[in-house]
Amino acid sequence: MLLVARARLKYLVIACIVTIPLLYFVLYQALPDTIASVVSSKASPKGRPGNKGDAQHVTPSPAKVNDGHPISGLIENAYARFSGLLGKRSWSLAHAAARYRELRGRHPPPGFDKWFEEAQSHDAIIVEEFFDRIHHDINPFWGTDPQEMRRQARALPHAIRVRNGKIAHPKDHDANPPREDRLELWEKLVQDMLPYLPDLDIPVNLFDEPRMLVPWEDIARNVAEEQTSRRLFPPREAAAERTSFLDVDTDPPQAFDPEWIDDKPRYWDYVSRACPPNSPARKVQPLETATPIDAIFPTSPNMSYMGDGGFISNFTQAQDSCLQPHLRDMHGTFVEPFSMVTSTKLFPFFSGSKLSVNNELLIPAAMYLSSETRYSGGTKHGGPWAGKKNGLVWRGTASGGRNQEHNWWHYQRHRFVQMLNSSAVALVQSGDSGAGPTFTLKAASSYNMSAPREGQLLGPWLHEWSDVGFNRLDCWPERHDWLGRLRLDCPYTDPFFALVASKPMAEQYNYKFLPDIDGNSYSARWRGFLLSTSCPLKATVYTEWHDDRLMPWLHFVPFDNTFMDIYAIMDYFLDGHDAEGQRIAEEGRNWASKVLRREDMMLYMWRLLLEYARVLDPQRDRLGFVDDLTTDALT
Ligand SMILES: *[C@@H]1O[C@H](CO)[C@@H](O)[C@H](O)[C@H]1NC(C)=O
Ligand SMILES: *[C@@H]1O[C@H](CO)[C@@H](O)[C@H](O)[C@H]1NC(C)=O
Ligand SMILES: *[C@@H]1O[C@H](CO)[C@@H](O)[C@H](O)[C@H]1NC(C)=O
Ligand SMILES: *[C@@H]1O[C@H](CO)[C@@H](O)[C@H](O)[C@H]1NC(C)=O
């Protein structure tokens, strides 16, 4: 009798093993929430809130402002969305693997268990959505031949080469690659996960600027192939063994030519070909740089990604140059980048930041791994909010591309410094339009503001709170003094800008508001700003590894790349919403100290490398982590 019962039980168990993965397929599509909660309650509860006090993150709900201001509404929305996201946190391997299958339609890559174990040992906050970027970046590579990609990765210079659990330094590397420090910083990060990595070649971009702009049609084809190749195969079909790299480790390596292009003044052409066919950017030609800014500056805060009041409601779209054809003449990257070494082919390549249309695999920017205080701000993060100056500060160089006498007024940093300069704005408002070649006030003046009330001009108001300026003017061609030192001034922009003393980041933290804008590419101060006790503001066309884990209007204040909304945003915080500014400062700092740690960067890169190793493996269609589906069901 007992034996029969046991045999039945065995059948039942086997039936479960077979049906559970099947149910995953069928039901995940229809009922993601229900299934996720079933899976999480079935999964081992160890590590749930309670025993890991430090790892918990509680977001206080916003004090209801209910003043009807659109920004108050955006802040409340951000809290709600973020709480929803945090509620999906994975506390167990089984839950993490289930959520992976739910979102990605595949089994996690081999090595997922070690990765999750390490994440838990660092109290890392794991929400599957925080890794969306990895899949966005890697998916097109599923449409390319793995053998071909292995050869390409092996042939490229400046690669981190992993063989047999060690970093190999091959002889064919340049003795002194440019910006070798970056290569070293990334190599150190890879060291932390080395015992768990299969053999790999990881070619990295040592330039500031991203380098791959593949035409949209090619990427669309690859992405479609990725989607049709998704399969949650039965666990018994899974392979965990990686294919050896012996075939590519030939001497000399097989050649690969990315056919790098240098065509700086036509950069926009390459960007627009990487945009969707029906996007606004695809339809426009590059502009003559002589075009006055009046002819291009949008006249109304009605962008598709702006909500009520003209404030950014979708930051992802606000970063997307395909939606903003005016940016071709309002951002140095598109006017004339500082350097251009771009390929229109798709091959394995890693970069610290990129435009929405670039095709590199994003990794944490090397400067975030550096301990240099000009990036990190050092160990100081600023004092209490109440002790800070009630204003905004920005210092920097006039970078952002190769600004020249015939085009400098199209560069974002020049525009920002002029639009926040009370004297320049006062001159323009008094009718001297020649005083502000970088901006117009038409769109800005259609915002509803309370501080510069009727009759009160922007100039004197800005004077109360704005402290911005360049500490170097970065002319092109560069000029040197008689001792051969780089000159900081610049004949063609001198009438509009005064050089000001630089302020170390620790001193900038004495101000409540810290805007951050792009230079030649992303801004390396951003992590320091987020970790500070001040309120960070951000306008950028560059995407970064951490974007999916930062919530605009909760951890930072987003503003538009035209800067048309900056006055209205400052008006909100300076006029009756100091507490909201303080909350963003504190919430951002709190969150950044939990999810932007070096450990978090390491874990992000580790997960990306697991995906990368799989997609480059000729056996990729059978590689997967399935232990949770077999062992869990038996115990
Ligand atoms: C925004 O308004 C301007 C001027 O009214 C108009 O020309 C433009 O087409 C509008 N843009 C969008 C995206 O609605
Ligand atoms: C400013 O307020 C007026 C009246 O409420 C409204 O019609 C207008 O759309 C608002 N402007 C913006 C930019 O939201
Ligand atoms: C923002 O836009 C992107 C791209 O169109 C979309 O996928 C995303 O869901 C939007 N996010 C929000 C918060 O609306
Ligand atoms: C501000 O603008 C005025 C007027 O154009 C200019 O003379 C001054 O140098 C500018 N100040 C800074 C810090 O750039």
Side-chain angles (χ1 to χ4, degrees):
M1 207 48 207
L2 202 69
L3 272 177
V4 174
R6 271 207 190 149
R8 279 200 187 136
L9 197 69
K10 207 167 133 195
Y11 264 116
L12 209 70
V13 170
I14 292 172
C16 282
I17 298 171
V18 177
T19 45
I20 285 175
L22 222 100
L23 277 174
Y24 274 9
F25 289 123
V26 182
L27 291 180
Y28 262 160
Q29 309 303 325
L31 297 163
D33 286 338
T34 335
I35 295 302
S37 53
V38 169
V39 170
S40 74
S41 58
K42 180 188 84 110
S44 133
K46 98 179 152 214
R48 280 220 143 240
N51 21 349
K52 292 234 171 191
D54 282 351
Q56 278 199 64
H57 186 86
V58 181
T59 315
S61 71
K64 285 261 187 261
V65 188
N66 272 344
D67 56 2
H69 194 289
I71 293 184
S72 303
L74 288 163
I75 293 176
E76 278 191 36
N77 267 342
Y79 272 92
R81 279 186 49 217
F82 184 68
S83 308
L85 210 50
L86 263 191
K88 299 183 183 175
R89 178 172 178 181
S90 292
W91 295 92
S92 70
L93 173 61
H95 184 263
R99 292 229 60 225
Y100 184 103
R101 294 188 185 99
E102 174 196 343
L103 264 68
R104 318 300 174 202
R106 297 179 185 277
H107 293 298
F112 189 77
D113 47 348
K114 279 285 170 221
W115 173 80
F116 189 79
E117 198 178 294
E118 191 74 6
Q120 274 195 316
S121 80
H122 289 294
D123 287 340
I125 299 181
I126 301 299
V127 174
E128 184 54 29
E129 281 81 352
F130 292 173
F131 303 92
D132 282 354
R133 159 63 57 187
I134 289 181
H135 297 273
H136 173 275
D137 292 351
I138 205 104
N139 284 351
F141 291 89
W142 281 89
T144 314
D145 174 32
Q147 292 285 12
E148 179 70 22
M149 288 192 285
R150 287 177 165 225
R151 283 192 290 272
Q152 293 168 337
R154 176 67 180 80
L156 289 164
H158 316 142
I160 301 169
R161 180 163 309 159
V162 181
R163 292 290 183 276
N164 301 317
K166 291 198 177 64
I167 290 186
H169 287 111
K171 288 186 214 75
D172 58 328
H173 268 199
D174 291 2
N176 287 308
R179 297 162 178 136
E180 190 174 14
D181 50 334
R182 299 184 186 192
L183 191 57
E184 260 170 41
L185 288 164
W186 278 320
E187 232 176 59
K188 273 206 196 114
L189 195 66
V190 171
Q191 290 278 2
D192 294 352
M193 62 196 90
L194 207 48
Y196 307 107
L197 288 184
D199 288 358
L200 281 177
D201 290 308
I202 309 163
V204 292
N205 175 18
L206 298 182
F207 284 80
D208 285 335
E209 297 86 353
R211 314 259 300 272
M212 265 203 286
L213 281 171
V214 183
W216 184 87
E217 285 75 5
D218 296 352
I219 295 298
R221 201 177 319 113
N222 280 22
V223 167
E225 276 189 44
E226 187 279 328
Q227 291 195 335
T228 52
S229 76
R230 284 185 193 184
R231 242 186 101 223
L232 282 168
F233 48 75
R236 67 187 141 73
E237 286 178 23
E241 275 301 298
R242 262 71 163 241
T243 310
S244 122
F245 264 67
L246 282 176
D247 58 323
V248 293
D249 278 338
T250 54
D251 191 17
Q254 300 167 57
F256 165 60
D257 182 6
E259 293 171 32
W260 298 118
I261 299 159
D262 180 0
D263 191 8
K264 296 184 194 76
R266 305 293 301 176
Y267 194 78
W268 179 261
D269 281 344
Y270 298 89
V271 169
S272 89
R273 261 174 252 155
C275 287
N278 54 3
S279 65
R282 188 72 179 255
K283 295 172 186 143
V284 295
Q285 295 295 311
L287 278 181
E288 287 300 319
T289 48
T291 314
I293 210 72
D294 272 5
I296 182 108
F297 206 118
T299 52
S300 157
N302 61 350
M303 255 62 95
S304 56
Y305 50 82
M306 288 176 172
D308 289 350
F311 301 103
I312 289 179
S313 58
N314 188 322
F315 189 61
T316 312
Q317 291 182 10
Q319 288 174 291
D320 186 350
S321 33
C322 296
L323 300 174
Q324 304 171 69
H326 53 271
L327 288 184
R328 73 195 188 280
D329 235 9
M330 294 184 75
H331 198 290
T333 294
F334 310 119
V335 178
E336 187 166 337
F338 194 79
S339 52
M340 178 177 177
V341 190
T342 292
S343 174
T344 57
K345 295 184 177 180
L346 184 71
F347 52 88
F349 202 48
F350 293 77
S351 217
S353 79
K354 62 174 184 174
L355 302 168
S356 316
V357 286
N358 283 115
N359 307 99
E360 284 97 329
L361 300 161
L362 271 184
I363 52 177
M367 294 305 110
Y368 291 143
L369 304 166
S370 155
S371 51
E372 273 191 67
T373 48
R374 75 192 159 113
Y375 300 121
S376 68
T379 51
K380 296 202 177 68
H381 301 289
W385 181 261
K388 293 177 194 280
K389 285 193 188 120
N390 199 20
L392 161 156
V393 69
W394 187 88
R395 287 291 182 281
T397 70
S399 65
R402 191 161 285 187
N403 86 77
Q404 294 165 65
E405 188 165 7
H406 66 273
N407 68 14
W408 65 269
W409 58 92
H410 296 288
Y411 284 73
Q412 72 275 11
R413 287 193 165 190
H414 293 80
R415 176 167 68 255
F416 185 76
V417 171
Q418 272 213 313
M419 285 182 75
L420 273 300
N421 175 338
S422 59
S423 319
V425 172
L427 284 171
V428 168
Q429 275 200 317
S430 71
D432 179 0
S433 61
T438 60
F439 66 100
T440 73
L441 290 172
K442 186 139 195 304
S445 56
S446 57
Y447 280 82
N448 291 322
M449 314 231 306
S450 55
R453 282 168 227 285
E454 254 169 89
Q456 195 189 335
L457 293 168
L458 282 172
W461 179 63
L462 279 170
H463 187 72
E464 292 168 20
W465 54 265
S466 172
D467 179 358
V468 305
F470 286 126
N471 47 44
R472 210 179 69 198
L473 281 167
D474 295 293
C475 263
W476 192 262
E478 284 175 343
R479 297 176 321 134
H480 295 87
D481 67 12
W482 61 278
L483 281 173
R485 291 173 305 198
L486 186 73
R487 288 188 62 150
L488 306 181
D489 59 343
C490 172
Y492 54 81
T493 52
D494 281 347
F496 301 95
F497 302 100
L499 285 171
V500 294
S502 48
K503 255 189 214 305
M505 273 164 74
E507 264 177 54
Q508 296 185 25
Y509 297 161
N510 294 334
Y511 290 72
K512 286 185 178 172
F513 299 95
L514 303 177
D516 195 35
I517 53 179
D518 298 334
N520 290 341
S521 62
Y522 80 104
S523 155
R525 294 172 235 182
W526 187 226
R527 183 167 169 264
F529 280 9
L530 287 160
L531 283 165
S532 80
T533 57
S534 299
C535 175
L537 295 84
K538 184 76 165 177
T540 183
V541 294
Y542 285 96
T543 59
E544 295 188 65
W545 77 279
H546 54 224
D547 292 352
D548 292 318
R549 57 185 65 198
L550 297 175
M551 186 68 72
W553 297 114
L554 174 59
H555 303 128
F556 67 94
V557 174
F559 65 112
D560 193 53
N561 281 299
T562 59
F563 315 139
M564 62 164 75
D565 50 354
I566 189 70
Y567 305 130
I569 287 173
M570 289 306 293
D571 174 54
Y572 172 82
F573 288 110
L574 296 174
D575 190 59
H577 297 97
D578 185 66
E580 281 69 31
Q582 178 175 6
R583 191 165 306 130
I584 292 174
E586 286 169 3
E587 196 54 47
R589 166 174 166 62
N590 223 325
W591 182 240
S593 68
K594 288 181 180 151
V595 301
L596 300 186
R597 304 165 304 169
R598 187 188 162 88
E599 297 91 303
D600 299 305
M601 297 195 254
M602 187 272 286
L603 288 163
Y604 182 92
M605 182 135 175
W606 183 346
R607 252 204 68 173
L608 171 60
L609 292 180
L610 292 181
E611 295 293 345
Y612 177 62
R614 173 160 70 176
V615 82
L616 254 65
D617 198 301
Q619 287 251 63
R620 64 190 182 185
D621 289 319
R622 289 186 51 227
L623 288 176
F625 166 78
V626 291
D627 288 2
D628 60 316
L629 299 180
T630 48
T631 49
D632 236 19
L634 279 173
T635 50

